């Protein structure tokens, strides 16, 4: 559980703030953070993880949503990155999430 707590803290205290402020988004870096957010979201559905995340005041099951919102809040995150993000979400989720895709599309307009 220590490793999991470290992953959760790293995501919420380093990855999310960096996503809001980062100037450059390589496809590789974006892929890594999307994959981690999806993995944490899936883990967040487990009862044991919910208890850990509640103790840390994090909604781990919402990690992917938080990442998308952080990226879309960043004015440097453009339409090219948005297309990459949509593709990566499909790749790592395994399906098209209409809520995420419409959120990304609205941001592009």
């Amino acid at each position: 559980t220590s490793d999991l707590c470290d992953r959760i803290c790293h995501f919420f205290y380093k990855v999310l703030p960096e996503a809001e402020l980062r100037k450059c988004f390589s496809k590789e870096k974006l892929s890594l953070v999307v994959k981690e957010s999806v993995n944490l979201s899936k883990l967040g559905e487990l009862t044991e993880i919910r208890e850990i995340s509640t103790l840390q005041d994090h909604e781990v099951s919402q990690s992917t949503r938080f990442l998308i919102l952080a990226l879309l809040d960043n004015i440097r995150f453009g339409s090219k990155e948005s297309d990459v993000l949509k593709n990566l979400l499909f790749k790592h989720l395994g399906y098209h999430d209409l809520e995420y895709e419409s959120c990304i599309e609205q941001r592009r307009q």
Side-chain angles (χ1 to χ4, degrees), residues 17 19-21 34 37 45 49 74 89:
E20 286 183 311
L21 303 172
V34 168
S37 75
E45 298 298 321
I49 307 304
N74 186 332
L89 285 168

Side-chain angles (χ1 to χ4, degrees), residues 91-102:
K91 175 183 174 185
H92 294 296
L93 288 171
Y95 59 90
H96 288 283
D97 188 298
L98 297 178
E99 180 183 353
Y100 294 154
E101 289 181 6
S102 67

Side-chain angles (χ1 to χ4, degrees), residues 3-20:
D3 289 339
L4 184 57
C5 288
D6 290 345
R7 282 177 64 190
I8 292 169
C9 287
H10 179 263
F11 182 80
F12 280 91
Y13 295 117
K14 182 164 180 10
V15 173
L16 288 181
E18 190 176 282
E20 286 183 311

Side-chain angles (χ1 to χ4, degrees), residues 7-67:
R7 282 177 64 190
I8 292 169
C9 287
H10 179 263
F11 182 80
F12 280 91
Y13 295 117
K14 182 164 180 10
V15 173
L16 288 181
E18 190 176 282
E20 286 183 311
L21 303 172
R22 191 173 186 90
K23 291 182 182 178
C24 180
F25 297 90
S26 71
K27 187 174 180 179
E28 294 78 24
K29 176 70 174 172
L30 199 53
S31 181
L32 288 174
V33 296
V34 168
K35 183 178 180 180
E36 180 66 2
S37 75
V38 170
N39 288 338
L40 286 175
S41 290
K42 289 177 182 177
L43 285 173
E45 298 298 321
L46 302 173
T47 305
E48 301 83 20
I49 307 304
R50 270 189 255 143
E51 291 170 5
I52 292 171
S53 65
T54 301
L55 290 173
Q56 294 184 342
D57 291 330
H58 299 303
E59 293 181 54
V60 176
S61 63
Q62 298 294 312
S63 297
T64 303
R65 183 173 67 90
F66 293 143
L67 177 65

